């Protein structure tokens, strides 16, 4: 697996064998970042990658011009591979990694940093983690007004959009769906 575009284009990402990871494939990443590029949502953005895995989405965002990445991955062995990928791409000075569950990381970060302009949400499919993550982003004030959330989920997985978000689009990509949400300015 390689990064597709930008300053780290072509850099190979390590993918652990035997660990429970499902990295986003090249076709899906290309589609996702085409959507984000069209909306000028990446350049200079502070990005939060929840359920980061090996970092394919977050590192692609950095490669394409994001200013900073905060990655959250609860599995220590997977986070170790993520940190290897960060180093291989030479992004150490622009990445912060939290090795803990998403909810715990958001609660701990609340009030300690500025809200993010872009949040990437790619949890394990069909485990009901998306609604909790969307609620927590608003509850802990982690998403800037007008900030976007890009969600990757299974095609047969329904994502209920909570109050505080507008759905900008949903696009099918193979067996997955990409949903792009935008925080409404009045959300609290």
């Amino acid at each position: 697996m390689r990064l597709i575009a930008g300053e780290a284009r072509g850099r190979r990402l390590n993918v652990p064998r035997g660990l429970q990871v499902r990295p986003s494939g090249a076709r899906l990443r290309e589609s996702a970042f085409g959507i984000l590029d069209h909306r000028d949502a990446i350049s200079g953005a502070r990005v939060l990658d929840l359920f980061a895995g090996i970092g394919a989405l977050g590192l692609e965002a950095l490669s394409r011009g994001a200013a900073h990445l905060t990655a959250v991955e609860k599995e220590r062995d997977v986070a170790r591979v993520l940190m290897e990928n960060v180093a291989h791409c030479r992004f150490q000075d622009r990445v912060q990694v939290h090795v803990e569950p998403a909810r715990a990381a958001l609660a701990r970060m609340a009030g300690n940093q500025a809200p993010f302009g872009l949040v990437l949400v790619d949890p394990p499919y069909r485990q009901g983690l998306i609604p909790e993550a969307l609620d927590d982003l608003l509850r802990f004030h982690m998403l800037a007004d007008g900030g976007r959330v890009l969600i990757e989920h299974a095609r047969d997985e329904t994502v209920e959009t909570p109050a505080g978000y507008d759905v900008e689009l949903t696009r099918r990509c193979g067996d997955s769906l990409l949903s792009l949400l935008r925080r409404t300015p009045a959300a609290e």
Side-chain angles (χ1 to χ4, degrees):
M1 168 173 282
R2 295 179 185 275
L3 291 181
I4 300 168
E7 70 180 276
R9 179 181 183 198
R11 295 268 167 104
R12 185 176 298 276
L13 299 179
N14 294 326
V15 179
R17 294 177 190 247
L19 296 178
Q20 295 287 350
V21 294
R22 177 197 39 79
S24 301
R27 189 171 135 227
L28 188 136
R29 283 183 287 129
E30 188 63 48
S31 182
F33 284 95
I35 291 166
L36 294 170
D37 281 338
H38 180 71
R39 287 162 176 78
D40 196 28
I42 301 169
S43 182
R46 292 184 64 255
V47 177
L48 173 62
D49 188 357
L50 292 176
F51 315 100
I54 64 164
L57 290 175
L59 294 174
E60 189 73 45
L62 280 178
S63 185
R64 292 173 183 245
H68 185 269
L69 170 66
T70 299
V72 177
E73 173 52 51
K74 73 175 185 171
E75 299 296 333
R76 188 162 302 284
D77 291 340
V78 177
R80 191 173 358 267
V81 175
L82 166 62
M83 289 184 263
E84 290 170 5
N85 287 334
V86 168
H88 180 68
C89 293
R90 298 186 181 112
F91 289 146
Q92 300 94 314
D93 60 334
R94 295 168 48 198
V95 177
Q96 182 179 23
V97 177
H98 295 269
V99 185
E100 59 188 324
R103 175 168 266 180
L106 290 172
R108 195 168 49 70
M109 288 187 287
N112 295 323
Q113 65 181 61
F116 295 93
L118 176 61
V119 178
L120 306 169
V121 178
D122 181 16
Y125 285 1
R126 299 177 194 91
Q127 292 189 15
L129 298 170
I130 296 169
E132 179 180 284
L134 292 174
D135 287 339
D136 286 347
L137 287 169
L138 294 181
R139 182 164 56 113
F140 295 122
H141 306 285
M142 300 305 291
L143 185 61
D145 283 347
R148 290 185 169 90
V149 180
L150 181 73
I151 305 166
E152 179 186 336
H153 54 100
R155 189 173 58 185
D156 62 354
E157 186 174 15
T158 302
V159 174
E160 297 294 327
T161 307
Y165 293 97
D166 290 325
V167 178
E168 286 197 83
L169 70 79
T170 299
R171 181 173 293 162
R172 182 177 170 190
C173 191
D175 290 335
S176 300
L177 286 178
L178 293 170
S179 295
L180 185 64
L181 309 182
R182 186 166 190 166
R183 182 174 186 238
T184 55
E188 285 300 325

